[in-house]
Amino acid sequence: LLIGGEPLSDRTRRLVAGLAGDVLILAFAAIRNTSPLARTFDNAQNASSASDLQLWLGHAMLLFPASCLLAYSLTPRLGPSLAGRWAALRALPASKRAVGIIILFVLFVAVARAGHHVVLLDLPLTDDEYAVEFGGRIMATGHVTAPLSILEEAIPTQGLFVKADRVSRADWPGGQAVAAIAETTSLGPWTWALLAAVPIIALGALVTRRLGTPWGLVAVLTFACSPMALMLSFTTHAHLASRALLALAIVGYWLATQRGTLGAWSLAGFAFGLAFLCRPFEIAFFSAP
């Protein structure tokens, strides 16, 4: 930036960047006044909310550059402090690193459980959750089908498998097995909250081992602050089981490549296989690389 042909000082540039970032954030907040960000729902598989495009364009063209500008403007004040914290994290002994990961795990479990209780009132939200809960209750009895107590014509049967006056849920067995464990152990939503936090330990341990403690913390915070990861953690969705097992499988895969033993490869394959039983298409897609 130039004023009268002279370059701006570093302080002025950062001030201008900070003000520009603030303006972009205000512009994003004002979008709803000119283009309402309404959410709509439709049965068609190819339907989407009319304002989705504006929402994501707002993130890409307003919030993202705003974050970069504000980070640049705040660097002189935050940089030295963050650099000191980064160095302190690198010097942490292994015992304190382990304690830190456990504390983060416990905190995420608490957040996931509180979110399910406060936000969702301890109820299933999606059809997938109702599906695994129904199948899990049947599986908890030691069977895969249950007697059909009323006429088939009297109930909606989409997603159900009915044969010879018995009914089962037509869904992948992994999520139903988790729901059965939650039912038989009386842990209920705590089972899902524990699964929701498994990637905290897996990501933290793996990235810390490979890149150092600071990057391990960055990986954990990136996961924990992801809107999708956080909001889904409030649910009892089968995705929580598949992503937990996928995280463990990735850790197992890395250990197997380091050690090369049959036991390590078997554990990695076992984790991938269990994850596949929860959501096979998701796991096949993400494990292929």
Side-chain angles (χ1 to χ4, degrees):
L1 296 175
L2 300 176
I3 292 182
E6 296 293 330
L8 294 177
S9 66
D10 183 68
R11 182 177 180 181
T12 305
R13 285 200 305 270
R14 295 186 187 278
L15 176 61
V16 172
L19 292 174
D22 293 335
V23 169
L24 291 177
I25 289 178
L26 291 174
F28 180 81
I31 287 178
R32 65 180 59 199
N33 296 325
T34 57
S35 178
L37 300 179
R39 315 301 298 164
T40 60
F41 299 90
D42 195 289
N43 289 329
Q45 293 296 314
N46 61 349
S48 61
S49 299
S51 60
D52 273 354
L53 180 60
Q54 291 97 323
L55 177 66
W56 290 113
L57 283 176
H59 278 81
M61 301 180 69
L62 297 174
L63 285 188
F64 178 71
S67 301
C68 296
L69 289 168
L70 289 174
Y72 172 71
S73 68
L74 294 173
T75 296
R77 279 175 282 178
L78 296 181
S81 176
L82 290 175
R85 299 289 190 276
W86 193 273
L89 286 172
R90 291 182 66 88
L92 274 181
S95 58
K96 290 188 176 180
R97 290 200 300 267
V99 171
I101 291 177
I102 292 174
I103 290 174
L104 291 172
F105 172 81
V106 172
L107 285 175
F108 198 85
V109 170
V111 169
R113 182 65 187 93
H116 185 63
H117 178 69
V118 175
V119 179
L120 301 182
L121 304 180
D122 281 338
L123 295 171
L125 176 66
T126 67
D127 54 349
D128 288 351
E129 290 175 83
Y130 280 102
V132 298
E133 183 178 294
F134 178 74
R137 288 181 177 180
I138 296 177
M139 196 175 290
T141 67
H143 303 84
V144 293
T145 64
L148 185 63
S149 56
I150 59 178
L151 291 175
E152 180 180 347
E153 292 77 7
I155 59 173
T157 56
Q158 183 175 4
L160 297 181
F161 181 71
V162 180
K163 185 176 183 181
D165 293 328
R166 296 190 70 84
V167 61
S168 63
R169 173 64 197 185
D171 206 333
W172 308 112
Q176 296 184 66
V178 173
I181 293 172
E183 181 81 13
T184 55
T185 60
S186 299
L187 287 174
W190 283 103
T191 306
W192 298 97
L194 289 167
L195 283 173
V198 167
I200 295 291
I201 286 185
L203 282 175
L206 179 59
V207 179
T208 294
R209 184 71 179 271
R210 296 199 64 185
L211 302 177
T213 305
W215 286 112
L217 181 60
V218 168
V220 168
L221 293 178
T222 300
F223 172 83
C225 295
S226 162
M228 184 174 183
L230 182 60
M231 293 298 104
L232 275 173
S233 297
F234 292 176
T235 69
T236 54
H237 201 282
H239 170 77
L240 300 185
S242 69
R243 84 179 186 195
L245 291 165
L246 177 62
L248 293 175
I250 291 173
V251 174
Y253 174 79
W254 181 78
L255 288 174
T257 59
Q258 302 301 305
R259 300 179 181 178
T261 62
L262 178 61
W265 280 111
S266 298
L267 288 175
F270 185 63
F272 274 118
L274 288 180
F276 190 83
L277 291 177
C278 298
R279 288 171 71 85
F281 299 111
E282 178 179 277
I283 298 303
F285 178 82
F286 285 112
S287 62

